[in-house]
Amino acid sequence: EAGVAQSPRYKIIEKRQSVAFWCNPISGHATLYWYQQILGQGPKLLIQFQNNGVVDDSQLPKDRFSAERLKGVDSTLKIQPAKLEDSAVYLCASSETGYGEKLFFGSGTQLSVL
Amino acid sequence: AQTVTQSQPEMSVQEAETVTLSCTYDTSENNYYLFWYKQPPSRQMILVIRQEAYKQQNATENRFSVNFQKAAKSFSLKISDSQLGDTAMYFCAQQTGANNLFFGTGTRLTVIP
């Protein structure tokens, strides 16, 4: 079974630039999550999709972050403009229904904002 | 509000020995799920073990087992016969319904040969 695919694996940008991350979940998984993991901390949810609808985006900094999930499959997360404090690993995960199940994670994108 | 606390930032264990990682949580819900995830240097989070709160029996997965104390809101992970491949960050997490999977700050485990 193919896993959750993420790209790019690494990204270095300067502050105020924009960046986009891509995620392809496991086929058939209805729920997709984007997490931000700052060094030394646990992952923090940015946004949760159920199919192509948003379930929870309460911790997404909407003035600079945006995310979409086209046709309920692939998803992109964008930051514009980036700040120094956005330096983190961005993890994408998916699950079949999202209710108390195992989450399958991608390998993440490590973002460095200089 | 959900909170998950892991009070041990780092731990080490000799190969083949047993180690226990601690986790406490707080929730006002009666039905929820608890998880331990492992994150090796590759960054990919991998599920170690899962516990349903309404089940009193502690979950086990081969060398991994939990001690789930619902009244005390405690969910510790025991790793038996530790192996070098167990070296990783371990995160405790809690989910209520279909809501956010809320993670603790993690414990870095090192298995010493």
Side-chain angles (χ1 to χ4, degrees):
Chain A
E1 163 181 89
V4 176
Q6 284 190 252
S7 68
R9 188 154 173 81
Y10 300 92
K11 189 74 176 179
I12 301 173
I13 61 173
E14 294 187 351
K15 61 183 179 183
R16 293 188 289 273
Q17 287 187 322
S18 61
V19 65
F21 313 126
W22 173 81
C23 174
N24 186 12
I26 291 174
S27 178
H29 279 193
T31 310
L32 185 147
Y33 309 78
W34 282 103
Y35 283 89
Q36 180 193 57
Q37 186 177 18
I38 293 172
L39 185 64
Q41 299 181 17
K44 181 187 82 171
L45 181 74
L46 291 175
I47 189 166
Q48 177 182 345
F49 292 96
Q50 187 74 14
N51 296 308
N52 60 352
V54 175
V55 174
D56 184 354
D57 64 356
S58 58
Q59 298 188 83
L60 186 74
K62 298 180 185 64
D63 58 333
R64 297 184 300 106
F65 286 66
S66 64
E68 60 180 3
R69 188 180 184 194
L70 300 175
K71 300 179 182 178
V73 183
D74 292 12
S75 178
T76 56
L77 176 69
K78 297 179 181 178
I79 308 175
Q80 182 179 11
K83 292 185 175 182
L84 297 178
E85 58 261 36
D86 298 332
S87 293
V89 174
Y90 291 84
L91 296 167
C92 179
S94 70
S95 67
E96 285 191 44
T97 68
Y99 194 98
E101 298 170 321
K102 171 183 178 179
L103 264 62
F104 293 81
F105 283 83
S107 296
T109 297
Q110 184 171 330
L111 173 67
S112 297
V113 182
L114 306 178
Chain B
Q2 277 179 294
T3 60
V4 176
T5 302
Q6 293 180 251
S7 59
Q8 305 152 315
E10 294 189 24
M11 293 194 72
S12 61
V13 62
Q14 290 290 139
E15 193 176 5
E17 297 294 309
T18 296
V19 65
T20 298
L21 308 184
S22 301
C23 173
T24 58
Y25 60 93
D26 191 16
T27 179
S28 57
E29 301 292 330
N30 194 44
N31 293 323
Y32 50 90
Y33 300 85
L34 296 164
F35 306 82
W36 279 97
Y37 278 87
K38 169 185 177 181
Q39 188 177 40
S42 66
R43 297 200 304 254
Q44 188 171 27
M45 302 275 266
I46 303 164
L47 179 67
V48 175
I49 202 163
R50 172 181 174 270
Q51 175 81 41
E52 298 170 11
Y54 62 86
K55 289 187 176 179
Q56 292 186 337
Q57 186 173 7
N58 289 325
T60 62
E61 286 287 341
N62 301 313
R63 298 182 295 107
F64 300 89
S65 62
V66 297
N67 182 4
F68 174 45
Q69 302 289 328
K70 191 171 184 179
K73 296 182 179 176
S74 170
F75 184 61
S76 60
L77 174 70
K78 185 172 82 171
I79 306 174
S80 304
D81 185 25
S82 297
Q83 301 175 359
L84 297 178
D86 296 334
T87 293
M89 285 290 292
Y90 287 82
F91 291 95
C92 179
Q94 187 234 336
Q95 184 182 31
T96 303
N99 296 326
N100 176 18
L101 182 63
F102 196 87
F103 287 88
T105 53
T107 296
R108 182 178 302 279
L109 177 67
T110 302
V111 180
I112 302 167

